[in-house]
Amino acid sequence: MKYIEKLRNSGLRPTKQRLQICEILFDREKTFHFTINELDQKIKNKIHNKISLATIYNTVHAFEKKGYLKQIPINSNQTYFDTNVTDHHHFYNLEDGKLIDLENSDVGPINIKKKINGKKIKSIEILVKLED
Amino acid sequence: MKYIEKLRNSGLRPTKQRLQICEILFDREKTFHFTINELDQKIKNKIHNKISLATIYNTVHAFEKKGYLKQIPINSNQTYFDTNVTDHHHFYNLEDGKLIDLENSDVGPINIKKKINGKKIKSIEILVKLED
DNA sequence: TTGTAGTTTATAATGGTTCTAAACAGCTGT
DNA sequence: ACAGCTGTTTAGAACCATTATAAACTACAA
Ligand SMILES: [Mn+2]
Ligand SMILES: [Mn+2]
Ligand SMILES: [Zn+2]
Ligand SMILES: [Zn+2]
């Protein structure tokens, strides 16, 4: 399997559950934006054995900590995660709650003129809300 | 009281509780960013009668609906609200979870080049995360 | 003053997330 | 191959911000 090495190199044991979750999360062309519940549904549809919800939470947080996933700041009752861990921006479709990536080339240069003493910028994220 | 008219004009009855919450929220020079719990604490410190937590939630949501407050998209276990309802951006201090306004003059023009068919942009918000 | 609709309140319910602790499984050394 | 260790999975409980409930209360118009 292609994820065994990746997990081992991160200090994570390549368990059956983690490998299956890796396939669902990372075997895709495009960025995957998801909530834990959406991931849980995808797992139920695509694999035959059961993975407990606790394991899904554990795995997502482990992957986040290792830098394979990141959270997206959205006001929702559920936390959104992103398989695209590069610095990038989002469209947020208010109708269906779905996210679309904006690559850096899709956005002109951002100039933050204000400075805060003793602080440095860690990230700059734009959220563009869309309506009909 | 200066808020009685404002509330009546919005179709909200100017109750004692709402007027007291108005004073805490809006009698200030600068933008107030807060969670429900922080507001609850401020209320406990500044007024003598009790306002139930349910009323605080009800009032904040009523004010949000009327456009006197808005939510800020932040990943936190609590929802953040903002008394500055204009379109503006934020610094987010990761150390203490505090928000600082960025006026539009603090940020250069933002150019979103990508278009989504049949959708129009409702808002553009930048979140600048700060670290030491 | 009286009626009505809007509001407040204590309390329960909801639901996403985290915790617990016992069973289980991957890995290292023998 | 086996033992032993430690990391992982799991069901279920706990947590806690938020929302729902429904009864008491209140603003206000008639
Ligand atoms: Mn996390
Ligand atoms: Mn709301
Ligand atoms: Zn993304
Ligand atoms: Zn603000």
Side-chain angles (χ1 to χ4, degrees):
Chain A
M1 304 287 212
K2 65 207 251 201
Y3 296 111
I4 291 180
E5 187 111 354
K6 178 179 175 173
L7 289 172
R8 276 219 194 85
N9 291 343
S10 311
L12 296 173
R13 289 188 182 167
T15 63
K16 183 174 71 167
Q17 293 88 341
R18 283 175 177 163
L19 292 170
Q20 290 175 320
I21 292 174
C22 275
E23 285 174 20
I24 290 172
L25 291 179
F26 305 121
D27 272 0
R28 41 178 84 230
E29 301 280 306
K30 302 198 322 190
T31 295
F32 183 35
H33 302 110
F34 64 94
T35 64
I36 295 288
N37 280 329
E38 289 166 354
L39 177 57
D40 190 28
Q41 286 310 310
K42 279 240 163 28
I43 289 169
K44 284 185 172 62
N45 293 337
K46 295 204 177 168
I47 70 179
H48 299 302
N49 52 304
K50 188 196 177 196
I51 300 183
S52 81
L53 190 56
T55 297
I56 299 173
Y57 273 99
N58 289 343
T59 301
V60 166
H61 285 135
F63 288 1
E64 183 194 13
K65 197 172 209 171
K66 294 299 180 183
Y68 303 140
L69 292 174
K70 70 172 186 178
Q71 276 187 246
I72 307 174
I74 296 284
N75 274 124
S76 160
N77 54 328
Q78 293 178 70
T79 307
Y80 274 80
F81 293 91
D82 196 335
T83 57
N84 181 350
V85 296
T86 69
D87 255 317
H88 67 285
H89 313 295
H90 292 96
F91 280 130
Y92 182 47
N93 185 346
L94 293 167
E95 311 302 316
D96 62 7
K98 290 277 177 285
L99 288 156
I100 301 169
D101 274 1
L102 279 164
E103 300 306 327
N104 282 332
S105 58
D106 294 325
V107 178
I110 300 159
N111 178 19
I112 307 293
K113 297 170 185 169
K114 191 172 182 173
K115 305 289 175 218
I116 303 291
N117 216 299
K119 292 284 172 182
K120 64 172 196 280
I121 290 173
K122 191 190 182 194
S123 68
I124 299 177
E125 296 165 272
I126 302 179
L127 185 67
V128 181
K129 290 184 182 164
L130 296 180
E131 62 187 351
D132 289 316
Chain B
M1 303 289 215
K2 64 208 249 200
Y3 296 111
I4 290 180
E5 187 112 353
K6 177 177 175 173
L7 289 173
R8 277 219 194 86
N9 291 342
S10 311
L12 297 173
R13 290 189 180 167
T15 63
K16 184 175 73 168
Q17 292 88 344
R18 283 176 177 163
L19 291 169
Q20 290 176 321
I21 291 174
C22 275
E23 285 173 20
I24 289 171
L25 291 178
F26 305 121
D27 272 1
R28 41 178 85 233
E29 302 279 307
K30 301 198 321 192
T31 295
F32 182 36
H33 302 110
F34 64 94
T35 64
I36 295 288
N37 280 330
E38 289 166 354
L39 177 57
D40 190 29
Q41 286 309 310
K42 279 241 164 26
I43 289 169
K44 283 185 173 61
N45 292 338
K46 295 204 177 168
I47 70 179
H48 299 302
N49 53 305
K50 186 195 178 195
I51 300 181
S52 81
L53 190 57
T55 296
I56 299 173
Y57 273 99
N58 289 341
T59 301
V60 166
H61 284 135
F63 287 3
E64 184 194 13
K65 198 172 208 172
K66 295 298 180 181
Y68 302 139
L69 293 173
K70 69 172 188 177
Q71 277 187 244
I72 307 174
I74 296 284
N75 274 124
S76 160
N77 53 329
Q78 294 177 71
T79 305
Y80 273 81
F81 293 91
D82 194 335
T83 57
N84 181 350
V85 293
T86 68
D87 254 319
H88 67 284
H89 313 295
H90 292 96
F91 280 132
Y92 183 47
N93 184 347
L94 293 166
E95 310 302 317
D96 61 8
K98 289 276 177 285
L99 288 156
I100 300 170
D101 274 359
L102 279 164
E103 301 306 326
N104 281 332
S105 58
D106 294 326
V107 178
I110 300 159
N111 178 17
I112 308 294
K113 297 170 186 170
K114 190 172 183 175
K115 305 289 175 219
I116 302 292
N117 216 298
K119 292 284 173 185
K120 62 173 199 282
I121 289 173
K122 192 190 181 196
S123 68
I124 298 176
E125 296 166 273
I126 302 179
L127 185 67
V128 181
K129 290 183 181 164
L130 296 179
E131 63 186 352
D132 288 318

